[in-house]
Amino acid sequence: MSNIPKIGFISLGCPKALVDSEHILTQLKAEGYEISPDYHTADLVVVNTCGFIDSAVQESLETIGEAIAENGKVIVTGCLGARANEILAVHPKVLAITGPHALVEVMSAVHKHLPKPHDPFMDLVPAAGIKLTPKHYAYLKISEGCNHACTFCIIPSMRGKLDSYPVDQVLAQAKKLVESGVRELLVVAQDTSAYGVDVKYKMQFWEGRPVKTRLTELCEQLATLGIWIRLHYVYPYPHVDELIPLMRDGKILPYLDIPLQHASMRILKDMKRPANVENILARIKKWREICPNIVLRSTFIVGFPGETEEDFECLLDFLKEAKLDRVGAFCYSPVTGARANELANPIPEEIKQERLARFMETQAAISAEKLNAKIGQTMQVLVDSYNEDGFAVARSCADAPEIDGVVIIEDAPEGLIGLWVDVNIVDTDTYDLYEQMA
């Protein structure tokens, strides 16, 4: 029977938290710990929590409770860890609590409650670290924190102000991931387009070349790696326009995830968000002129405090005019500590749900129209898995994993996971495509 200490690990929340989890797991593995797949064989459990909205807080608290009940020895980290008193009020038996991106603190807690074994040879750990995603894609986090003060969000209070990673270190990690077999990098941060603002776009050197700590320059270098580069959480600052020619020229994926949140000027003002909707529409038009195949994704909040029917109709009108390719929406939910809780005229739950249904109905029609226009085209896709029917499940440049649609290939041979293939589009539904091998 092995005497090597075993750690159970649960990762909740967004891709930024997932990258934190990968860093912790990498360090655990480097120090000789084994990662246990279940509670009962683990000597200790680490839970990386989410604290963004109340439902995420509840999920995190329930997961901590389950880990305590099943294992008994639990260390908590992540965004909810920034509110340690709330965790202790429900689960006083946790061994230790740290906030987000707290690798040193987490490892110190692990060492205290489960001393590390002798140091193994470093080649037992992959150069790219331990990953929680499939081998062929990975998230690349480029910064921590955020300088915005959105009234519905408490992330800055948990993760702090913008803290950009050195560009040479980001590129070095990207290269390691590609060398390990990654074919798609999903670039993430709380505010990706602000990358480098805090360090005044400091110049670094990577492989003998000077590179600014700035999103455009980062993307230009990532483009040399020969894989898919997908951008998430991009605020539409003016310099984002510089990325569109890179998409047109095939250097990075023609995919832009922009968190717009609403279209009513009044609501955007209450959210403390940029409020020039006409400018956004004009820029979208220009982007499509430069890169006709660009895919635009966004997320919206319905039922924000004070949202009138007129405000909501403004949002629907924006959807109809912008014709975004991929859209997500959720009802506003009060978040403990968010300033939006103090706003007047909260929206009743039944009205929130009714508006959400109308929103999704409007977007579904737009999505179906856009996907129907693709029938007959040939496209490149990346195969992720096979479903229970034996069909290959893939993604195109329009599809980020787990949040967008998929491409179903009914006549695909075995052994395609992690490979790019060309397919012909033969059918579609509201959000997914059905294809045959080209």
Side-chain angles (χ1 to χ4, degrees):
M1 190 172 185
S2 174
N3 292 320
I4 298 175
K6 299 178 179 63
I7 305 286
F9 201 99
I10 302 169
S11 183
L12 305 174
C14 66
K16 282 88 71 180
L18 184 139
V19 174
D20 289 344
S21 294
E22 292 175 337
H23 291 167
I24 297 169
L25 286 167
T26 297
Q27 187 62 33
L28 287 168
K29 192 72 174 176
E31 293 187 6
Y33 292 95
E34 286 189 2
I35 308 304
S36 175
D38 55 61
Y39 291 122
H40 303 297
T41 58
D43 299 304
L44 180 151
V45 176
V46 177
V47 180
N48 190 3
T49 59
C50 179
F52 180 45
I53 60 177
D54 284 357
S55 59
V57 171
Q58 187 60 35
E59 180 187 15
S60 294
L61 291 174
E62 289 175 355
T63 301
I64 295 168
E66 179 182 275
I68 291 173
E70 296 292 334
N71 182 275
K73 299 179 69 176
V74 177
I75 292 171
V76 176
T77 186
C79 283
L80 188 58
R83 293 145 59 181
N85 289 339
E86 293 185 29
I87 297 172
L88 291 172
V90 181
H91 301 299
K93 294 183 179 180
V94 295
L95 300 177
I97 300 174
T98 79
H101 55 91
L103 174 62
V104 174
E105 292 85 350
V106 172
M107 293 307 302
S108 294
V110 171
H111 295 157
K112 177 179 179 181
H113 297 283
L114 188 64
K116 65 178 181 179
H118 66 86
D119 291 338
F121 295 107
M122 287 303 295
D123 61 6
L124 293 180
V125 180
I130 304 299
K131 292 172 63 268
L132 297 177
T133 53
K135 181 179 180 180
H136 58 279
Y137 71 81
Y139 293 99
L140 181 70
K141 186 162 63 168
I142 63 175
S143 68
E144 298 288 353
C146 178
N147 288 343
H148 290 283
C150 303
T151 59
F152 55 82
C153 181
I154 58 172
I155 293 299
S157 68
M158 295 178 174
R159 289 186 170 265
K161 293 290 187 179
L162 176 68
D163 182 12
S164 299
Y165 294 171
V167 68
D168 56 333
Q169 294 181 19
V170 172
L171 289 167
Q173 175 65 9
K175 186 175 181 179
K176 287 179 182 178
L177 288 166
V178 173
E179 291 173 345
S180 74
V182 165
R183 291 174 178 262
E184 177 182 9
L185 283 174
L186 300 103
V187 180
V188 297
Q190 203 62 43
D191 179 0
T192 301
S193 40
Y195 179 62
V197 169
D198 56 314
V199 295
K200 299 180 180 180
Y201 305 124
K202 182 179 179 180
M203 188 79 73
Q204 302 277 8
F205 283 84
W206 182 63
E207 297 192 337
R209 299 189 296 271
V211 183
K212 282 186 178 180
T213 307
R214 188 169 177 267
L215 185 60
T216 302
E217 285 77 2
L218 172 64
C219 288
E220 288 172 344
Q221 296 305 316
L222 290 173
T224 66
L225 298 175
I227 63 167
W228 280 6
I229 306 297
R230 189 184 301 275
L231 302 181
H232 284 277
Y233 316 121
V234 178
Y235 284 73
Y237 303 144
H239 69 267
V240 170
D241 294 351
E242 301 171 9
L243 301 172
I244 310 306
L246 299 179
M247 298 178 181
R248 175 199 60 202
D249 297 340
K251 294 183 177 180
I252 61 177
L253 288 183
Y255 179 101
L256 207 52
D257 174 13
I258 307 171
L260 297 173
Q261 307 299 2
H262 214 282
S264 162
M265 300 284 280
R266 192 179 65 82
I267 295 299
L268 286 169
K269 183 177 179 180
D270 285 346
M271 289 178 169
K272 300 297 184 187
R273 300 282 294 179
N276 195 334
V277 175
E278 292 302 320
N279 184 46
I280 289 293
L281 288 169
R283 291 177 69 195
I284 287 174
K285 181 180 178 181
K286 186 66 175 179
W287 293 343
R288 286 171 170 157
E289 290 172 355
I290 297 170
C291 182
N293 65 331
I294 190 171
V295 174
L296 299 176
R297 186 186 199 284
S298 192
T299 305
F300 296 89
I301 299 173
V302 300
F304 192 78
E307 182 189 67
T308 64
E309 180 62 23
E310 182 181 359
D311 293 322
F312 180 69
E313 289 290 344
C314 178
L315 176 55
L316 295 185
D317 290 342
F318 175 84
L319 282 183
K320 294 170 185 175
E321 186 169 356
K323 293 188 180 298
L324 303 176
D325 301 85
R326 299 297 193 188
V327 170
F330 59 93
C331 293
Y332 173 77
S333 173
V335 177
T336 302
R339 289 180 295 152
N341 300 338
E342 302 168 7
L343 294 174
N345 303 316
I347 307 302
E349 189 63 33
E350 61 271 20
I351 295 179
K352 291 182 189 177
Q353 294 298 329
E354 184 268 341
R355 288 178 181 172
L356 179 62
R358 287 162 58 196
F359 179 101
M360 296 310 300
E361 182 180 5
T362 299
Q363 180 57 33
I366 295 169
S367 177
E369 178 184 351
K370 281 182 164 286
L371 293 184
N372 281 329
K374 296 180 182 293
I375 294 177
Q377 296 182 13
T378 298
M379 66 169 55
Q380 184 186 61
V381 299
L382 181 61
V383 179
D384 282 338
S385 63
Y386 288 84
N387 64 19
E388 58 188 14
D389 296 318
F391 300 155
V393 181
R395 292 179 292 106
S396 71
C397 68
D399 308 306
E402 299 184 356
I403 59 174
D404 292 326
V406 296
V407 176
I408 304 297
I409 312 172
E410 297 185 0
D411 62 342
E414 296 180 358
L416 295 182
I417 292 177
L419 299 181
W420 290 301
V421 297
D422 292 330
V423 293
N424 297 319
I425 306 169
V426 297
D427 198 6
T428 178
D429 57 26
T430 303
Y431 299 109
D432 302 326
L433 295 172
Y434 296 85
E435 309 190 345
Q436 296 176 345
M437 299 290 291

